[in-house]
Amino acid sequence: MQPLEVFTETDLNTFVRKRKGEIKLGETVQHCKTLDWKKELKESSAHFVLLGIPEDIGVRANLGRGGAHTAYKPALESFLNQQDNFFLKGSSVFVLGNVMVNDLMEQSNALNSKNHSDLLALREMVRLIDNRVTEVITYITSLKKIPVIIGGGHNNAYGNIAGCFMALQSGINVINCDPHSDLREAEGRHSGNGFSYALEHGYLNKYAVFALHEQYNNQSSLKQFIENKNLHFVSFEDIFIKEKYDFKTALQRSINFVKDNSCGIEIDLDAITNVPSSAKTSSGISQLQARQFIHHCASQLKPIYLHIAEGAPVLSNIKADNKTGKLISYLITDFIKGYSLK
């Protein structure tokens, strides 16, 4: 099975709202003209590759709420309808499509994570998703292009990191803006242990968590930061409650910790106040601070990918929130423009 569902011009045109006198990014981005995505991507001059992972299996395998599969298309629509101008040219971006997960999503719909055997089946599906994500990210990274990955649970951090490792044949660093460290026990794959498995397999060198929430991480996860010199966190409470550091200083400390190597940039939309996500928070960073996080990381680090995880515009039994796609679109453009300052 192909690991990828390719988006062609016909697909992209369904998203773009053309307007006389304007040029939208969706009219100028690069894309596949055939299904031979590897050949077309290799021949493309675009440096950034937009990729979706429309799944929520990893979140449900972690006993969380479904909905993370709904983020990519609203984000893509918002991104494609931004203006092409001298701040950002669509030709720098190749809209590839999304990782093929339709078959697994369909199978997962019949499973209930409260049932132990179903939970094990969901975690096995996450392992299969890992393989597909790893394959696609490996190829993109081997071309020295930068994947911009939207959607899915934070389980997909593992495939991102593994793919970069396979392409580079060396470990990478990662910075993650997230209330949770996602260093839970390696008990079978789910959204809470992607970084645990990446460390265990030697794919992840240094790992920094920015704005971690102190009471939403178990003792064994926190203990790892004390015992492993390659792990670092600064808590949300240290910044905003105890005021041990201001936002800029705390972010710079985290950036400095991982800046010596190629670095993946991760942001879990759970970190942002009142954004629909798998674990929506009422006390997080602001949308502006999330944009600043992305911009400063992109401009100061050696980014090898960006992953925007766990946005859920359509949460289970909750009305769709169309603003989430627009926020993700801002984060994408902040990353590209920040990277381009180098």
mmCIF file of all heavy atoms in Angstrom, residues 113-132:
data_model
loop_
_atom_site.group_PDB
_atom_site.id
_atom_site.type_symbol
_atom_site.label_atom_id
_atom_site.label_comp_id
_atom_site.label_asym_id
_atom_site.label_seq_id
_atom_site.Cartn_x
_atom_site.Cartn_y
_atom_site.Cartn_z
ATOM 1 N N SER A 113 -11.848 2.199 23.472
ATOM 2 C CA SER A 113 -10.605 2.144 24.255
ATOM 3 C C SER A 113 -10.832 1.693 25.693
ATOM 4 O O SER A 113 -9.877 1.338 26.388
ATOM 5 C CB SER A 113 -9.910 3.513 24.241
ATOM 6 O OG SER A 113 -10.741 4.496 24.816
ATOM 7 N N LYS A 114 -12.080 1.702 26.153
ATOM 8 C CA LYS A 114 -12.370 1.219 27.510
ATOM 9 C C LYS A 114 -12.330 -0.299 27.597
ATOM 10 O O LYS A 114 -12.264 -0.862 28.690
ATOM 11 C CB LYS A 114 -13.736 1.746 27.959
ATOM 12 C CG LYS A 114 -13.768 3.256 28.130
ATOM 13 C CD LYS A 114 -15.138 3.744 28.585
ATOM 14 C CE LYS A 114 -15.149 5.265 28.726
ATOM 15 N NZ LYS A 114 -16.488 5.771 29.136
ATOM 16 N N ASN A 115 -12.368 -0.941 26.447
ATOM 17 C CA ASN A 115 -12.239 -2.391 26.371
ATOM 18 C C ASN A 115 -10.765 -2.734 26.168
ATOM 19 O O ASN A 115 -10.129 -2.238 25.232
ATOM 20 C CB ASN A 115 -13.099 -2.918 25.219
ATOM 21 C CG ASN A 115 -13.027 -4.415 25.049
ATOM 22 O OD1 ASN A 115 -11.966 -4.962 24.762
ATOM 23 N ND2 ASN A 115 -14.149 -5.092 25.218
ATOM 24 N N HIS A 116 -10.198 -3.579 27.017
ATOM 25 C CA HIS A 116 -8.747 -3.820 26.990
ATOM 26 C C HIS A 116 -8.267 -4.369 25.648
ATOM 27 O O HIS A 116 -7.244 -3.913 25.125
ATOM 28 C CB HIS A 116 -8.352 -4.778 28.115
ATOM 29 C CG HIS A 116 -6.860 -5.003 28.203
ATOM 30 N ND1 HIS A 116 -5.987 -4.000 28.539
ATOM 31 C CD2 HIS A 116 -6.108 -6.116 27.962
ATOM 32 C CE1 HIS A 116 -4.744 -4.476 28.530
ATOM 33 N NE2 HIS A 116 -4.792 -5.752 28.182
ATOM 34 N N SER A 117 -8.985 -5.317 25.086
ATOM 35 C CA SER A 117 -8.549 -5.895 23.810
ATOM 36 C C SER A 117 -8.627 -4.857 22.696
ATOM 37 O O SER A 117 -7.765 -4.814 21.806
ATOM 38 C CB SER A 117 -9.391 -7.126 23.460
ATOM 39 O OG SER A 117 -10.750 -6.787 23.327
ATOM 40 N N ASP A 118 -9.649 -3.992 22.739
ATOM 41 C CA ASP A 118 -9.751 -2.915 21.752
ATOM 42 C C ASP A 118 -8.614 -1.911 21.931
ATOM 43 O O ASP A 118 -8.061 -1.389 20.948
ATOM 44 C CB ASP A 118 -11.088 -2.198 21.881
ATOM 45 C CG ASP A 118 -12.257 -2.992 21.317
ATOM 46 O OD1 ASP A 118 -12.010 -4.097 20.771
ATOM 47 O OD2 ASP A 118 -13.405 -2.520 21.425
ATOM 48 N N LEU A 119 -8.264 -1.635 23.183
ATOM 49 C CA LEU A 119 -7.169 -0.707 23.457
ATOM 50 C C LEU A 119 -5.860 -1.233 22.871
ATOM 51 O O LEU A 119 -5.094 -0.483 22.253
ATOM 52 C CB LEU A 119 -7.021 -0.504 24.962
ATOM 53 C CG LEU A 119 -5.947 0.499 25.412
ATOM 54 C CD1 LEU A 119 -6.279 1.912 24.935
ATOM 55 C CD2 LEU A 119 -5.801 0.477 26.936
ATOM 56 N N LEU A 120 -5.613 -2.518 23.037
ATOM 57 C CA LEU A 120 -4.411 -3.122 22.462
ATOM 58 C C LEU A 120 -4.428 -3.044 20.943
ATOM 59 O O LEU A 120 -3.394 -2.805 20.301
ATOM 60 C CB LEU A 120 -4.290 -4.580 22.915
ATOM 61 C CG LEU A 120 -4.045 -4.804 24.416
ATOM 62 C CD1 LEU A 120 -3.972 -6.294 24.720
ATOM 63 C CD2 LEU A 120 -2.762 -4.109 24.875
ATOM 64 N N ALA A 121 -5.605 -3.219 20.347
ATOM 65 C CA ALA A 121 -5.732 -3.136 18.889
ATOM 66 C C ALA A 121 -5.444 -1.716 18.403
ATOM 67 O O ALA A 121 -4.775 -1.524 17.373
ATOM 68 C CB ALA A 121 -7.128 -3.576 18.459
ATOM 69 N N LEU A 122 -5.934 -0.710 19.137
ATOM 70 C CA LEU A 122 -5.650 0.680 18.783
ATOM 71 C C LEU A 122 -4.152 0.956 18.848
ATOM 72 O O LEU A 122 -3.592 1.631 17.974
ATOM 73 C CB LEU A 122 -6.395 1.624 19.727
ATOM 74 C CG LEU A 122 -7.910 1.735 19.546
ATOM 75 C CD1 LEU A 122 -8.530 2.502 20.714
ATOM 76 C CD2 LEU A 122 -8.263 2.421 18.231
ATOM 77 N N ARG A 123 -3.490 0.437 19.861
ATOM 78 C CA ARG A 123 -2.043 0.675 20.005
ATOM 79 C C ARG A 123 -1.244 -0.030 18.913
ATOM 80 O O ARG A 123 -0.208 0.481 18.473
ATOM 81 C CB ARG A 123 -1.597 0.247 21.409
ATOM 82 C CG ARG A 123 -2.175 1.186 22.464
ATOM 83 C CD ARG A 123 -1.806 0.843 23.896
ATOM 84 N NE ARG A 123 -2.330 1.887 24.783
ATOM 85 C CZ ARG A 123 -2.186 1.896 26.093
ATOM 86 N NH1 ARG A 123 -1.530 0.910 26.700
ATOM 87 N NH2 ARG A 123 -2.694 2.877 26.811
ATOM 88 N N GLU A 124 -1.740 -1.156 18.433
ATOM 89 C CA GLU A 124 -1.090 -1.816 17.303
ATOM 90 C C GLU A 124 -1.282 -0.986 16.030
ATOM 91 O O GLU A 124 -0.371 -0.876 15.199
ATOM 92 C CB GLU A 124 -1.658 -3.226 17.112
ATOM 93 C CG GLU A 124 -1.150 -3.960 15.881
ATOM 94 C CD GLU A 124 0.363 -4.149 15.836
ATOM 95 O OE1 GLU A 124 1.022 -4.071 16.901
ATOM 96 O OE2 GLU A 124 0.896 -4.374 14.728
ATOM 97 N N MET A 125 -2.439 -0.366 15.874
ATOM 98 C CA MET A 125 -2.672 0.505 14.720
ATOM 99 C C MET A 125 -1.729 1.705 14.736
ATOM 100 O O MET A 125 -1.269 2.157 13.682
ATOM 101 C CB MET A 125 -4.128 0.985 14.708
ATOM 102 C CG MET A 125 -5.129 -0.076 14.339
ATOM 103 S SD MET A 125 -6.809 0.606 14.346
ATOM 104 C CE MET A 125 -7.761 -0.898 14.059
ATOM 105 N N VAL A 126 -1.448 2.242 15.924
ATOM 106 C CA VAL A 126 -0.513 3.359 16.032
ATOM 107 C C VAL A 126 0.861 2.945 15.514
ATOM 108 O O VAL A 126 1.535 3.710 14.817
ATOM 109 C CB VAL A 126 -0.416 3.873 17.482
ATOM 110 C CG1 VAL A 126 0.639 4.980 17.594
ATOM 111 C CG2 VAL A 126 -1.758 4.397 17.950
ATOM 112 N N ARG A 127 1.249 1.720 15.821
ATOM 113 C CA ARG A 127 2.545 1.228 15.323
ATOM 114 C C ARG A 127 2.562 1.190 13.792
ATOM 115 O O ARG A 127 3.575 1.519 13.161
ATOM 116 C CB ARG A 127 2.820 -0.173 15.890
ATOM 117 C CG ARG A 127 4.238 -0.676 15.632
ATOM 118 C CD ARG A 127 4.404 -2.109 16.100
ATOM 119 N NE ARG A 127 3.554 -3.028 15.352
ATOM 120 C CZ ARG A 127 3.846 -3.487 14.128
ATOM 121 N NH1 ARG A 127 4.968 -3.106 13.522
ATOM 122 N NH2 ARG A 127 3.038 -4.322 13.522
ATOM 123 N N LEU A 128 1.447 0.823 13.185
ATOM 124 C CA LEU A 128 1.352 0.810 11.727
ATOM 125 C C LEU A 128 1.415 2.227 11.162
ATOM 126 O O LEU A 128 2.051 2.470 10.124
ATOM 127 C CB LEU A 128 0.061 0.121 11.292
ATOM 128 C CG LEU A 128 -0.080 -1.358 11.686
ATOM 129 C CD1 LEU A 128 -1.447 -1.894 11.266
ATOM 130 C CD2 LEU A 128 1.034 -2.195 11.077
ATOM 131 N N ILE A 129 0.759 3.178 11.853
ATOM 132 C CA ILE A 129 0.852 4.575 11.437
ATOM 133 C C ILE A 129 2.292 5.057 11.534
ATOM 134 O O ILE A 129 2.794 5.768 10.650
ATOM 135 C CB ILE A 129 -0.081 5.462 12.288
ATOM 136 C CG1 ILE A 129 -1.544 5.091 12.028
ATOM 137 C CG2 ILE A 129 0.144 6.944 11.979
ATOM 138 C CD1 ILE A 129 -2.522 5.750 12.997
ATOM 139 N N ASP A 130 2.983 4.674 12.610
ATOM 140 C CA ASP A 130 4.404 5.019 12.765
ATOM 141 C C ASP A 130 5.188 4.658 11.508
ATOM 142 O O ASP A 130 6.003 5.454 11.015
ATOM 143 C CB ASP A 130 5.022 4.239 13.933
ATOM 144 C CG ASP A 130 4.619 4.747 15.301
ATOM 145 O OD1 ASP A 130 4.097 5.868 15.398
ATOM 146 O OD2 ASP A 130 4.843 4.004 16.277
ATOM 147 N N ASN A 131 4.965 3.448 11.016
ATOM 148 C CA ASN A 131 5.721 2.969 9.852
ATOM 149 C C ASN A 131 5.462 3.839 8.629
ATOM 150 O O ASN A 131 6.392 4.159 7.870
ATOM 151 C CB ASN A 131 5.357 1.517 9.547
ATOM 152 C CG ASN A 131 5.786 0.562 10.640
ATOM 153 O OD1 ASN A 131 6.688 0.867 11.431
ATOM 154 N ND2 ASN A 131 5.160 -0.595 10.711
ATOM 155 N N ARG A 132 4.207 4.220 8.421
ATOM 156 C CA ARG A 132 3.859 5.023 7.257
ATOM 157 C C ARG A 132 4.413 6.438 7.371
ATOM 158 O O ARG A 132 4.950 6.981 6.401
ATOM 159 C CB ARG A 132 2.335 5.048 7.075
ATOM 160 C CG ARG A 132 1.747 3.660 6.842
ATOM 161 C CD ARG A 132 0.224 3.696 6.706
ATOM 162 N NE ARG A 132 -0.342 2.346 6.752
ATOM 163 C CZ ARG A 132 -1.627 2.061 6.584
ATOM 164 N NH1 ARG A 132 -2.492 3.045 6.368
ATOM 165 N NH2 ARG A 132 -2.058 0.805 6.646
#
